[in-house]
Amino acid sequence: VYGLLFSGILALVSRLYAPIVTDTNIPLPLLSLVQFFFCGLVIFFPTFLMGATLPLLAKHLYETSEELAENISSLYGFNTLGALAGCLFAGYFLLPTFGYSKTMYFAAAINIFLFTLSLIQFPFESFSWKDLFPYENTPKASVSVSRSLRHPLVWLVFLSGALSLFAQLLWNRLAALSFGPSVFVFPLITSMILMGIFLGSVLSSRFSGSEERTWRFLGINTLLAIPLVIIGNYFFGRFPLVVLWLNSTSQLGHGAYTLFQFAICGIAILPASTAIGAIFPAALSLYSREKNHEASLSVGIAYGMNIGGVLTGAILGGFVILPHFGLDILSRALAVSLVLALFLIFQKSRASYLHAVPLGILAMIIVLASPSFEKTLLTSGYFYNRIHTGDVKDYHSYYDSLQSFHDMYRYALVDYKDDAHGTVSIHEYVNNPEERWFRIDGKTDGNRRGDVATVRLLDYFPQIFA
């Protein structure tokens, strides 16, 4: 029902939002928070209902803790597989073909179909409002939730949510700088993360059985995730050279170029995404074995804390780390957070703080030794300026390598800034410092030559209105 009414609700909220951003001179960071608030106002209610689906489904399917522990990874994996299918289908087919409103109606139709199936399975005659609002269990549930907040596994699932958002923010920006700031960047990276969560859930279901095996899998997986993230981020930062090679040797259509993006992203970041995605289902399987509360409540608590971690990662990564410290620190924060996850794993299994010293040293090594991104390469914009060369051999007869071409045509980087909304860079010719231009996400949007009239015009407009 909310999906059918969404367009009208969005129009109503827009009437409240528009005067705030047009009639006031709010700074950009505050504007980001205003946008965040209004987006939450619009989508909180439906996402609240969506968030209840998996815990309720787990409660319906599995009655005991043992059943839940054995099957929750598979259930979460299938749930994520559905999210992956929805991301690809909506991002690459529904939205480009039918637009926003019809895509929303299509999603609403799916929910109506599911409601009809559930109505056939459970007619209203068998429904009781007491089942929906079990008030007598509220005090017990509150005590269980309070006790759970002191459990390391609860904070591990919280951290796994933050890790997923750190990765998504980082890889979204790197993809926009490598392939161009296209509307297809979001479904590309989101589907890669969802695919990783699905594969991680499959691995968790396959390699975790007993409690001891699950702990071992969780520790080894989290440890392997650290080098996978560092190596994957390094190669992702080199993607502009791959795009340079592709654009100089071929002229792919949209479909083939999309497959190319999926292929190289899969090579660079899918292993890291899979390792990160395996943390939550494995930790959830372990937490559901706890005896201090019922199985269904453990899923609700863990899933809620995971989404809380997602929200925290979005705010901390998108509004603090990325705009104030940049991509390099966000990349290191992702790897160091995995070290923190290892600390929580050891804390539960060993109940000692002795492992904090080597893990602290490992975190310092990551911060100091992780390679930084080459800013001139990230802002090169090779996705935009194509080199028309018919034969790859002819191309290599002019340049020894892709790097040599980049070094020959690179320009001095005067300034660089990562922001919540994009990456801005200023460049100049080495032999002529007066010749400068600025780029947004690698695309030149203004310079001191042909674009100077447009830039001045954009500068005059606000002065005239003021």
Side-chain angles (χ1 to χ4, degrees):
V1 172
Y2 194 94
L4 295 175
L5 300 175
F6 180 78
S7 297
I9 294 171
L10 183 62
L12 180 63
V13 174
S14 297
R15 294 194 174 195
L16 303 174
Y17 168 76
I20 296 176
V21 297
T22 56
D23 300 339
T24 59
N25 187 22
I26 0 181
L28 192 59
L30 184 58
L31 174 62
S32 300
L33 292 177
V34 170
Q35 293 173 337
F36 185 81
F37 169 78
F38 277 97
C39 284
L41 187 65
V42 171
I43 68 171
F44 173 80
F45 181 72
T47 52
F48 172 81
L49 298 177
M50 293 174 196
T53 306
L54 186 68
L56 289 173
L57 191 58
K59 181 177 182 178
H60 171 68
L61 292 174
Y62 313 119
E63 295 181 358
T64 65
S65 298
E66 290 73 20
E67 275 188 303
L68 184 67
E70 291 176 4
N71 297 287
I72 190 61
S73 294
S74 299
L75 179 65
Y76 184 65
F78 275 107
N79 182 259
T80 306
L81 185 62
L84 172 63
C87 178
L88 293 173
F89 188 55
Y92 287 98
F93 176 72
L94 284 178
L95 280 170
T97 307
F98 299 107
Y100 289 104
S101 296
K102 290 183 180 179
T103 299
M104 192 66 64
Y105 296 152
F106 186 88
I110 293 175
N111 280 277
I112 293 171
F113 173 72
L114 293 175
F115 171 74
T116 305
L117 286 183
S118 65
L119 196 62
I120 295 172
Q121 182 74 16
F122 304 103
F124 273 138
E125 288 76 11
S126 63
F127 176 77
S128 172
W129 287 102
K130 290 183 179 180
D131 296 333
L132 189 59
F133 300 106
Y135 292 106
E136 63 276 9
N137 294 333
T138 302
K140 179 183 175 182
S142 300
V143 171
S144 184
V145 170
S146 177
R147 189 190 301 119
S148 298
L149 292 177
R150 297 191 292 269
H151 202 294
L153 280 173
V154 170
W155 291 105
L156 182 61
V157 298
F158 175 88
L159 188 59
S160 72
L163 282 166
S164 297
L165 254 291
F166 281 172
Q168 180 156 0
L169 288 166
L170 176 65
W171 295 338
N172 263 333
R173 182 59 55 85
L174 291 175
L177 290 169
S178 298
F179 307 128
S182 162
V183 294
F184 295 106
V185 164
F186 178 80
L188 169 68
I189 298 303
T190 303
S191 61
M192 278 292 155
I193 291 175
L194 291 172
M195 175 64 77
I197 293 174
F198 168 69
L199 294 176
S201 300
V202 172
L203 289 176
S204 175
S205 177
R206 171 67 179 83
F207 291 104
S208 60
S210 64
E211 186 172 357
E212 183 181 353
R213 282 188 64 188
T214 307
W215 276 114
R216 188 183 302 116
F217 167 78
L218 186 58
I220 294 173
N221 171 80
T222 307
L223 183 62
L224 286 175
I226 297 173
L228 289 176
V229 162
I230 294 173
I231 295 170
N233 289 345
Y234 172 77
F235 282 110
F236 207 157
R238 311 293 292 176
F239 275 7
L241 288 179
V242 184
V243 174
L244 168 66
W245 167 81
L246 182 76
N247 287 343
S248 62
T249 57
S250 61
Q251 298 292 320
L252 297 182
H254 174 67
Y257 190 61
T258 299
L259 292 176
F260 160 77
Q261 292 174 339
F262 270 95
I264 63 172
C265 284
I267 294 171
I269 64 175
L270 189 57
S273 178
T274 301
I276 293 173
I279 295 175
F280 175 63
L284 180 57
S285 176
L286 287 168
Y287 185 62
S288 62
R289 299 174 190 269
E290 297 292 323
K291 305 299 182 183
N292 55 358
H293 45 65
E294 62 180 79
S296 61
L297 186 60
S298 67
V299 177
I301 292 171
Y303 197 56
M305 287 295 287
N306 181 257
I307 300 303
V310 168
L311 180 62
T312 302
I315 296 173
L316 185 61
F319 296 115
V320 179
I321 299 178
L322 186 58
H324 294 285
F325 301 100
L327 286 173
D328 287 325
I329 299 301
L330 184 58
S331 177
R332 289 173 172 83
L334 177 58
V336 170
S337 296
L338 286 165
V339 178
L340 181 57
L342 271 179
F343 173 80
L344 292 171
I345 293 169
F346 281 121
Q347 184 60 25
K348 176 58 182 174
S349 59
R350 302 275 180 97
S352 170
Y353 288 96
L354 294 176
H355 51 268
V357 176
L359 290 178
I361 294 173
L362 177 60
M364 290 181 60
I365 293 173
I366 289 172
V367 171
L368 297 174
S370 293
S372 299
F373 296 113
E374 187 181 341
K375 304 299 191 302
T376 53
L377 180 59
L378 285 180
T379 57
S380 57
Y382 289 137
F383 59 85
Y384 184 70
N385 297 311
R386 295 194 172 195
I387 306 160
H388 298 284
T389 304
D391 187 4
V392 66
K393 294 179 181 178
D394 178 51
Y395 169 77
H396 281 299
S397 68
Y398 285 102
Y399 311 108
D400 295 332
S401 65
L402 299 172
Q403 185 66 50
S404 68
F405 172 87
H406 172 68
D407 292 338
M408 180 179 297
Y409 283 92
R410 69 190 299 170
Y411 306 107
L413 186 65
V414 179
D415 203 358
Y416 175 97
K417 179 75 170 73
D418 290 308
D419 190 73
H421 299 268
T423 295
V424 183
S425 57
I426 301 176
H427 307 258
E428 69 180 16
Y429 287 113
V430 177
N431 298 328
N432 185 10
E434 292 300 316
E435 198 65 48
R436 286 188 174 183
W437 61 94
F438 70 88
R439 290 172 174 168
I440 299 175
D441 289 334
K443 179 184 177 298
T444 300
D445 278 332
N447 56 46
R448 287 183 172 179
R449 297 183 66 184
D451 292 334
V452 67
T454 305
V455 174
R456 284 176 177 166
L457 180 64
L458 292 174
D459 177 52
Y460 290 149
F461 270 129
Q463 299 184 53
I464 292 171
F465 281 111

